[in-house]
Amino acid sequence: MRQRTFSDSQIEEFMHLHLTKYPDAVERMHFVMKHPFRDNDEQMSRTRREILDTAKHLAFFHAHAQEIPKDRLAKVADPYYHARHDILSDVIAHVAAMLGPIGSYEIEE
């Protein structure tokens, strides 16, 4: 399991702003997680765009991008490339954790 980049308080700040802008975001993400065998490409793309749109309004996201270690920038020099990956991973992991441990909810086709 990947270690989280952002703190609980930062993720909570993100979720507060995100759900203000996109009130049904968690339900849509849970739907995709519970129905992995459906064609969810459009929903996943929408979720990604919305998360990145929210992140760009948060100071801690920009600060994180500026603090990315130089060795991590060896292959991709754009620090926002890495910061976007980090926020996406942490938010999706946070929303998935709301469903409980893997195997405790029913996956539907």
Side-chain angles (χ1 to χ4, degrees):
M1 185 171 166
R2 186 182 84 78
Q3 185 177 4
R4 285 192 18 207
T5 303
F6 298 100
S7 69
D8 288 339
S9 62
Q10 290 171 324
I11 295 298
E12 289 301 322
E13 179 183 351
F14 172 90
M15 292 303 293
H16 177 73
L17 178 60
H18 192 64
L19 293 175
T20 300
K21 294 172 76 173
Y22 308 103
D24 63 337
V26 170
E27 289 81 15
R28 287 186 285 109
M29 285 188 260
H30 282 172
F31 180 83
V32 170
M33 292 172 188
K34 289 178 147 186
H35 300 88
F37 304 110
R38 291 190 180 181
D39 180 11
N40 291 318
D41 290 344
E42 186 177 324
Q43 281 290 355
M44 291 186 311
S45 292
R46 178 181 176 189
T47 295
R48 179 180 161 84
R49 282 190 311 271
E50 290 173 354
I51 290 172
L52 296 176
D53 178 60
T54 300
K56 71 182 179 184
H57 298 287
L58 296 166
F60 71 81
F61 172 74
H62 295 286
H64 172 68
Q66 300 310 312
E67 296 168 359
I68 290 181
K70 297 293 180 201
D71 63 324
R72 194 169 172 205
L73 299 174
K75 292 187 179 182
V76 180
D78 177 14
Y80 281 95
Y81 172 85
H82 299 286
R84 286 188 298 267
H85 171 76
D86 293 340
I87 194 76
L88 284 166
S89 296
D90 284 5
V91 168
I92 290 169
H94 177 80
V95 172
M98 291 176 185
L99 289 173
I102 292 175
S104 68
Y105 58 90
E106 187 175 332
I107 300 293
E108 302 165 14
E109 295 208 27

